[in-house]
Amino acid sequence: MSRELPPQQAFQTHCLAQMGVVSWLPIEKSESATDSVTGTVFMPPQPWPIDVAVPSSSFADSYGDQSSAGFRSAEPAPVPKLSPEEKEPLVHNLREQLNAGPEIIVEDLQPIEELAVDIVVEPDPTLNTQITRLNIHAYVLSNKLLILSDVPQVFSQAEDIERLALKMGQALLKQPIDEWQGSAFSWPGQLRNPYFLNRTDWLFGALESYVGRLVKDFPETPWLVLAGAQITQLVEDLPPESPLKHYPTAHIVSLSELYRIPELRKDAWQVMQSSFFR
């Protein structure tokens, strides 16, 4: 028994036969698997039409052109020039377009409501100090004595005052100085923001953090020597809860002055004796 297939089903049957499928028809109870089917397959002569206006070249020709030309940067495609009538209307012509006639329907635009938000601006802390710049050298001696001394902004006698600090510490502690370290602190340093330059609370916090790192390994409360007018005034201006205000402290002139004027060392020695050995 044979039957005629419609063109679409005949084309599907032909494609499946090319892939190796022998039969692709449902078998009903009244039919057998040996029934033959026929159909006319309509296949287009060229399934992918080629634009005849564009000349085609062979792969070998294109490959040869590329190898001879080498690598070249892609040239931007030319931008077609549009007439003023073809260009999109600008924003400043929108009002004229809306008022052109009643045929233009404009949606009712509701105004945007702005909500007032209260922004709380915390006032700058009122700190009573006139010190805005600070240059000090610090000396940690035997994890017991800390010396903070003013130094000039341009200072070239660091080694000399280091030896003076070691002699002073050895005399105060009455023991050889086997362990010590020296460092420098400068404010504002690399800070260039003028807003933060006037925030003395930043200076207070930086100084407290710096001293805290120096005395973190001290087994007991450190002895503090403030050498110089600026560091003495700055520590006095610190808040009462600052830990620097609870150390046993001696106030003397700066080490650079003691080095240049040896006559001042006697007064400084008496001040330190009275401060630490009452």
Side-chain angles (χ1 to χ4, degrees):
M1 179 179 179
S2 62
R3 60 176 179 173
E4 183 73 17
L5 294 178
Q8 181 179 6
Q9 193 172 2
F11 180 71
Q12 294 176 351
T13 305
H14 170 74
C15 293
L16 291 174
Q18 296 293 328
M19 292 186 293
V21 180
V22 177
S23 176
W24 184 69
L25 294 175
I27 300 177
E28 299 180 357
K29 295 182 180 180
S30 60
E31 300 176 354
S32 62
T34 59
D35 295 340
S36 61
V37 293
T38 59
T40 303
V41 179
F42 295 97
M43 301 181 64
Q46 177 56 263
W48 298 282
I50 301 177
D51 190 2
V52 296
V54 180
S56 61
S57 59
S58 63
F59 176 76
D61 296 340
S62 62
Y63 180 79
D65 295 341
Q66 292 179 2
S67 61
S68 61
F71 295 98
R72 293 180 298 176
S73 60
E75 298 180 356
V79 180
K81 296 183 179 180
L82 300 178
S83 61
E85 293 78 9
E86 296 176 348
K87 293 182 178 180
E88 296 183 358
L90 300 178
V91 178
H92 63 267
N93 294 328
L94 181 60
R95 183 175 299 275
E96 288 76 4
Q97 295 178 16
L98 294 179
N99 297 332
E103 67 276 1
I104 300 179
I105 300 176
V106 182
E107 296 182 359
D108 185 13
L109 301 178
Q110 298 295 329
I112 300 175
E113 297 181 0
E114 296 184 0
L115 301 178
V117 180
D118 295 333
I119 301 176
V120 179
V121 179
E122 298 182 358
D124 294 342
T126 56
L127 301 174
N128 184 18
T129 184
Q130 301 296 328
I131 306 299
T132 59
R133 295 184 177 275
L134 186 67
N135 292 285
I136 62 173
H137 280 197
Y139 303 96
V140 179
L141 308 177
S142 298
N143 286 340
K144 186 174 182 180
L145 178 64
L146 174 63
I147 303 176
L148 302 179
S149 175
D150 291 343
V151 294
Q153 187 172 3
V154 180
F155 187 64
S156 60
Q157 297 176 334
E159 297 181 357
D160 296 330
I161 67 169
E162 281 180 4
R163 289 192 292 266
L164 180 59
L166 291 175
K167 293 179 180 179
M168 182 188 304
Q170 184 173 351
L172 279 175
L173 300 177
K174 298 181 175 61
Q175 64 181 19
I177 305 299
D178 298 329
E179 182 180 359
W180 71 279
Q181 65 175 355
S183 59
F185 175 83
S186 178
W187 181 268
Q190 300 299 323
L191 188 62
R192 293 294 181 267
N193 193 327
Y195 174 75
F196 296 114
L197 292 179
N198 298 327
R199 293 290 299 267
T200 53
D201 57 331
W202 278 56
L203 171 57
F204 287 171
L207 179 63
E208 291 178 344
S209 300
Y210 173 69
V211 174
R213 292 192 298 269
L214 294 177
V215 302
K216 65 179 181 178
D217 296 330
F218 280 38
E220 299 178 355
T221 303
W223 291 0
L224 179 61
V225 175
L226 299 178
Q230 286 192 329
I231 186 61
T232 299
Q233 183 64 45
L234 188 60
V235 173
E236 289 180 356
D237 294 338
L238 289 175
E241 63 273 10
S242 176
L244 273 73
K245 306 196 75 169
H246 301 283
Y247 298 158
T249 307
H251 304 277
I252 62 174
V253 296
S254 65
L255 297 185
S256 57
E257 294 182 59
L258 290 179
Y259 176 76
R260 292 195 306 268
I261 310 174
E263 292 78 7
L264 298 177
R265 299 179 186 180
K266 182 178 180 180
D267 296 336
W269 176 254
Q270 292 178 354
V271 171
M272 290 186 291
Q273 288 290 322
S274 60
S275 299
F276 298 138
F277 304 102
R278 296 179 180 176

